[in-house]
Amino acid sequence: MARRVASPLELGRSFVRLEYQKQDAPLLLLWKGNGRYVGSRPECATLFGGVSIGNDYYPVSRRLMVQFLEGRRKEDLAGMAVPRRAYRPAGRLFRLMGAIPRVPAGLDELSAPIADLEGDGKGVPIPIKQYLKTGGKLLGFNVGRGFSNALDALILVDLRNLPPAPLERYLDKPGAGAFSAWHALNRGVA
């Protein structure tokens, strides 16, 4: 993948304590840390990493998120991400899904029915929301046996496609300036 993607930077796993998991601030701080690094290494144009859909979501909610993310697949790279354990929903799940007329088109439109389905009212996991808000594209899914059978989505974000405001939000103003200047001077080199 590194040969086909401009200077990729892997975003490793992190854990946010339960009482902070439904808040945006912890993830924003993690992104700001990554942004600080990218600001100092502006050739790193592409971020990729796994985000989890926990096994505590109902199977129907997980399937809805899978279908939504499948519509945001980066086709030219998708074949490069081969799961060790592929996600395979049960056949009865497709019959249950028959009651849902379509996969929602937008992220907010997706989060509402999931929150309605889930007993604790949780919607789409915040890391997935953040990746998608930055233009993230799906590369593939894997079921993590060693991670409580969480459904992991591998997502890629090309920072060169971000508008200036979100780029500054994550990289801060000097970092975004360095990043933009580097890529303006080195088009096609990364």
Side-chain angles (χ1 to χ4, degrees):
M1 183 170 78
R3 291 186 192 135
R4 295 186 55 199
V5 175
S7 300
L9 176 64
E10 180 181 3
L11 299 180
R13 290 281 184 184
S14 59
F15 178 78
V16 176
R17 288 179 50 104
L18 187 60
E19 63 266 26
Y20 299 107
Q21 287 181 6
K22 292 186 180 182
Q23 299 174 15
D24 288 332
L27 190 62
L28 179 60
L29 291 172
L30 289 168
W31 273 82
K32 283 195 167 282
N34 292 325
R36 181 71 51 101
Y37 180 80
V38 171
S40 70
R41 301 279 314 267
E43 68 274 12
C44 296
T46 310
L47 308 177
F48 70 98
V51 291
S52 297
I53 301 170
N55 204 21
D56 58 337
Y57 279 91
Y58 289 122
V60 172
S61 296
R62 286 169 53 126
R63 182 64 185 156
L64 261 176
M65 287 186 264
V66 166
Q67 287 182 301
F68 181 82
L69 290 168
E70 285 285 349
R72 280 128 188 96
R73 181 177 285 275
K74 184 141 180 72
E75 291 299 333
D76 59 327
L77 295 178
M80 299 188 78
V82 179
R84 288 189 178 147
R85 188 170 171 213
Y87 169 71
R88 291 185 178 86
R92 65 181 170 79
L93 188 55
F94 289 108
R95 290 188 296 279
L96 288 173
M97 295 284 296
I100 300 169
R102 63 178 177 80
V103 176
L107 192 53
D108 291 334
E109 195 181 333
L110 171 68
S111 205
I114 289 174
D116 288 343
L117 287 167
E118 295 299 317
D120 58 2
K122 65 181 172 272
V124 175
I126 290 173
I128 291 175
K129 287 181 180 180
Q130 290 297 321
Y131 267 114
L132 294 178
K133 286 179 182 177
T134 57
K137 299 290 183 189
L138 175 73
L139 297 179
F141 290 104
N142 185 65
V143 177
R145 283 187 181 166
F147 201 58
S148 300
N149 286 319
L151 177 58
D152 295 321
L154 181 60
I155 298 182
L156 180 129
V157 175
D158 189 336
L159 294 175
R160 295 169 298 182
N161 297 331
L162 274 181
L167 192 64
E168 283 183 17
R169 180 177 182 203
Y170 294 116
L171 273 62
D172 71 35
K173 198 167 192 143
F179 180 85
S180 298
W182 196 92
H183 287 283
L185 293 173
N186 297 292
R187 278 188 176 45
V189 175

